[in-house]
Every structure is written in C-alpha cells, then in structure tokens.
Amino acid sequence: MEKTQASLQSQDFQLQEAIFLQGQEHQGTVRRRIMEWLILARIQFTIIREAWVWIFIMACMFPLTTLLFLKFFTVDPTPAVMTRIITGNMLFGLVVMGLNSMAQEISYQKHQGHFTYYSSLPIAKVNFIFANLLRGLIMSAPSFIILAMIGQMAYGIQFHYSWGLIPVLLLTVFSVVGAGVLIGFWSPSHQLTNMLVQALMMFISFLTPVMVDMDQLPPLLQWCSYIFPTTYAAEAMREVLISGWSSSVAWNTLVLMLFSLVSIVLILKKVDWRVEK
C-alpha cells in the first residue's frame, strides 16, 4: 500500500514538473517573440527617423493643399460641411501615407529581394507584419494631428474631443494601413502596384463618401463605397468629432475592426519572403 502511494506521489510530482517546464518554455517563447517584434519595430523606426522630413511633407502636402483650396472655394459653409472637409482631408492624408506609400514601399522591398534577408533570420512573419503596421501608424499619425489643428483654425470651428476618438483613430489607421500592407505583399509587380494604389487613392478620396455625402454620389458609387474602410471611417470620425460617442459610431468602429482583422489574416496567408520567378 505504501509503495502504491509512493508511486502515485512520484507520478504526480513528475506531472507537476512537466507542466512547470512547459510553462517556462511557453514564457520563454513569448518573451522571445516580444523581443523580436521590438527589434523589428526599432528597425522600422530608424527608417522613419532617417527620412522624417520627406514623410512629413508627403503626409501633409496633398491634403493641406486640398483643405486650403476648399476653404477658398466654399462660400459660407455650414458646420457640418466644414467638419466633412476637415475629416475628409485627414483621411486623404491617411490614404496617401497608409495606403499609397506603404504599398509602394513594401512592394519595392519585395521585388528588390530585401525580404530574403529577413527570411534568413529566426523571426516570425507575424512580427515582421506588425512592425510594418506600426510603421504605417507612425507615418500616418502626424497628418491627422496637423490637419485637425490647421482645419480648426482655417474654418474657425472647435471639435468635440472625447475618449471615443481614440479607438476610432486607431482602427481607422490600422484598417487603411492594413490594406496598403496587403497590397504591397500581394504585389505581382512593382509597376502594377504603383498604378493600382495611385488609382485607388484618387477613387477613394473623391468618389467615395470621404469628401462628399453619400447621397451626393450616384447609386453605383454608393454601393461600391461599402467595400472601402474609409467610408465607415469618415462617418465615425465626423460624428465623434461633432457629438461624441454614439451607437452609430460604435457600429462603424466595429466594422473598422473587422476590416483590420480581415486584412491581417489575408496578409498572413499571402505574405511570402521570396518573389516567385
């Protein structure tokens, strides 16, 4: 009887020891993945630091020019129109940097064989993807802040800032940047990527409800608008800046979250370190 109890105690001790060792191994893996991401994020930050002047100019030049043009062009605009113009140009800056620039940069790296270097390192692809998403966030954030400040001064209005603005901004950036990163990784050729993102940039900015109301567009463009995250981002941002958080803002934020998750899943499925010859 005593031998049986001793045997059971020994088995129980071995099981506890195995569980403990598995936990330690899991913690070591998580810690290693976090360190990988931090290193990759520092690499992306270094790239931004070396070219921050051009990033700043590109992020603000086109939307700021459009913002000032509409200021001179419109006569006695209503507060709703002024808010749409400002938020539309904030999204325009995001499309320029998050969709256009990120897609072209990743496509260029892919077709120049830069990813071969990363494929030789013991890193997870998901860390590389999230490091690029962080880069897109850092590149796009300045245009949001600058255009919001200049827009308020140019049109003489005051936005309603609330906690709901934070998830709206973050999910707006990630949904658009995710689309740009996806296009860059999918890119069959760098020339095609350039043409595609340039066309998408103009179509999304001026033929979807970013600068104009939905009912001002033809029915065909209204239906097409629902497949772009900027449609939901413009509605959520405009409403949260006017009146704060509401059920409509919550619904649009949820849709932006779905766009972000879908783009990440598709990137994980489509990303390839090497270009197929």
Side-chain angles (χ1 to χ4, degrees), residues 107-248:
S107 173
Y108 174 80
Q109 293 183 25
K110 174 182 176 180
H111 293 286
Q112 289 295 314
H114 293 182
F115 292 167
T116 305
Y117 166 74
Y118 291 101
S119 68
S120 65
L121 300 177
I123 60 174
K125 290 182 179 181
V126 65
N127 283 333
F128 181 71
I129 292 169
F130 276 104
N132 278 277
L133 289 174
L134 176 64
R135 178 184 175 186
L137 174 63
I138 297 174
M139 290 171 58
S140 305
S143 65
F144 266 90
I145 299 171
I146 294 171
L147 290 171
M149 295 173 58
I150 295 178
Q152 288 182 92
M153 291 187 296
Y155 286 92
I157 63 174
Q158 181 62 43
F159 288 145
H160 174 80
Y161 295 103
S162 64
W163 64 269
L165 185 61
I166 297 175
V168 171
L169 287 180
L170 289 177
L171 290 173
T172 296
V173 172
F174 276 118
S175 60
V176 177
V177 170
V181 173
L182 175 61
I183 293 173
F185 279 122
W186 163 82
S187 165
S189 69
H190 188 56
Q191 291 77 11
L192 177 61
T193 303
N194 287 337
M195 293 187 292
L196 178 61
V197 294
Q198 291 289 341
L200 278 176
M201 181 180 70
M202 302 308 295
F203 182 87
I204 291 174
S205 300
F206 299 106
L207 296 179
T208 64
V210 172
M211 297 287 187
V212 297
D213 290 321
M214 178 72 81
D215 55 8
Q216 292 179 290
L217 296 172
L220 179 60
L221 291 180
Q222 292 183 22
W223 283 105
C224 292
S225 299
Y226 290 113
I227 65 175
F228 297 107
T230 49
T231 300
Y232 307 93
E235 185 66 27
M237 192 179 304
R238 184 174 64 255
E239 188 166 344
V240 78
L241 288 175
I242 293 176
S243 57
W245 190 263
S246 65
S247 58
S248 176

Side-chain angles (χ1 to χ4, degrees), residues 49-84:
R49 186 179 61 184
E50 293 178 351
W52 72 270
V53 175
W54 293 109
I55 292 174
F56 179 83
I57 293 174
M58 289 297 297
C60 300
M61 181 177 64
F62 292 110
L64 181 59
T65 303
T66 308
L67 178 67
L68 295 178
F69 168 76
L70 293 175
K71 166 64 178 176
F72 304 145
F73 182 75
T74 54
V75 179
D76 296 328
T78 63
V81 172
M82 290 187 290
T83 303
R84 174 169 287 282

